[in-house]
Amino acid sequence: MIEKSRVSLQAVKYLALDEADRMLDMGFEPQVRKIVQKMKMPPPGRRQTMLFSATFPTEIQRLASDFLSNYIFLAAGKVGSSTDLIVQKVEFVPDTDKKDHLLNLLHAQHSNQMDAKLALTLIFVETKRGADTLERWLVRSGIPSIAIHGDKMQFERERALKSFKSGQTPVLVATDVAARGLDVPNVAHVINFDLPRNIDDYVHRIGRTGRAGKSGLATAFFNDKNVPLAKDLVELMQGANQEIPNWLSEYAETCYSSDGARTSRYVGSKFGGYDYRSVSFHSGSGNYSSQFADTEDATHYAVSASAFTYGAPFAAGCYGPSEMDSFPAASYR
């Protein structure tokens, strides 16, 4: 529509990208760059740009900076981490025992829970085939379930989500297609049947519960093939004040992180999120601003994390230019 001159971007005042890290990291960068830089959209300084995500790796921040001008980096909580509203449990389960362990977990949950329609369970698996296989097995085992993944048609995805949200099928088996952007208020339990390969995906997955101030439970099935994730997982759980099994700590001490390095991902103050340009923290207040931002503006925009209400456990935002003061406390999703 833009290329056919049916839609013009010349009057755009506000540009907002949700899940900005994934948009730039998963092959969409050329399209985003073309729309923002080559379709006559007003440049940074003449438009307000807002990028949202619960994770902002350094390399993605560098890409994002091309679309921003003298921006302010705001973090609520620990960027790339999880909230202590979510109780995280990690259980050692060999692949051969996963299905039986899952079934026992679901039966125990059902017997101890109130109305199942008010307490939904989201199960993450690694592959599309695995999602379909696990869904069929759960249904045969008497657990009302439905699957969602990238090979499903749009109407099938919508039908699955409608059935899940209503509680008709209180168990949803999903790949990472449901790890971001899925906002279902009554998800009480997220189960990582298959753990992801990196900690960022784990953060987004468990962020489907514990939303909007509610508590939630996240259970992960861990075994020997997940050892590269152990170090990052322990650091994440420590940051959220979670109970860490001794055996998991031992794995973390003897292995490299999933990034192939032995250094900690989470550095900085109690906020934990950091601006790759190098940040200056205001001790004791929980506020910080970039040393590259104008001093007066940076002081003006330093805000408390409690001023923001986010749908995800924690989120970071890159904002620019200096019209920031026209935006009150933001509500994410």
Side-chain angles (χ1 to χ4, degrees), residues 166-325:
S166 69
Q168 182 179 351
T169 48
V171 174
L172 178 67
V173 183
T175 58
D176 277 326
V177 72
R180 299 178 183 235
L182 182 64
D183 187 12
V184 180
N186 297 325
V187 175
H189 195 181
V190 170
I191 300 174
N192 277 287
F193 185 86
D194 297 322
L195 273 165
R197 297 186 181 184
N198 66 76
I199 200 67
D200 285 351
D201 287 341
Y202 174 82
V203 169
H204 283 281
R205 285 182 178 190
I206 69 173
R208 300 312 96 197
T209 188
R211 300 177 72 79
K214 294 181 180 179
S215 60
L217 173 63
T219 302
F221 294 174
F222 185 101
N223 56 45
D224 288 337
K225 74 178 184 181
N226 305 123
V227 169
L229 193 67
K231 182 176 174 62
D232 286 343
L233 191 55
V234 166
E235 290 175 355
L236 180 82
M237 294 176 71
Q238 286 175 337
N241 301 312
Q242 300 292 313
E243 183 177 342
I244 302 170
N246 291 333
W247 59 263
L248 184 59
S249 297
E250 292 174 2
Y251 271 115
E253 290 172 0
T254 57
C255 73
Y256 286 88
S257 74
S258 59
D259 288 336
R262 298 188 72 90
T263 56
S264 175
R265 289 185 49 133
Y266 305 111
V267 295
S269 75
K270 66 180 181 179
F271 251 118
Y274 83 102
D275 186 339
Y276 88 99
R277 298 172 298 178
S278 178
V279 294
S280 173
F281 291 87
H282 301 284
S283 60
S285 65
N287 302 331
Y288 70 95
S289 56
S290 168
Q291 67 178 18
F292 289 85
D294 178 82
T295 304
E296 181 180 351
D297 286 344
T299 303
H300 180 70
Y301 298 136
V303 295
S304 168
S306 62
F308 287 77
T309 302
Y310 290 99
F314 296 100
C318 298
Y319 300 82
S322 58
E323 291 102 327
M324 258 295 286
D325 54 348

Side-chain angles (χ1 to χ4, degrees), residues 37 45 70 87 141 221 243 284 295 298:
Q37 297 178 331
N70 190 32
V87 175
S141 301
F221 294 174
E243 183 177 342
T295 304

Side-chain angles (χ1 to χ4, degrees), residues 94-137:
D95 281 341
T96 54
D97 297 337
K98 278 186 176 181
K99 287 183 178 179
D100 289 338
H101 193 77
L102 174 64
L103 193 59
N104 292 335
L105 192 63
L106 292 174
H107 282 315
Q109 175 179 292
H110 180 72
S111 61
N112 296 329
Q113 241 171 28
M114 52 291 185
D115 188 349
K117 290 186 177 182
L118 301 177
L120 307 177
T121 300
L122 177 56
I123 303 172
F124 281 103
V125 296
E126 185 176 8
T127 66
K128 302 166 189 175
R129 178 180 295 180
D132 288 333
T133 300
L134 187 59
E135 175 206 8
R136 290 192 294 268
W137 184 83

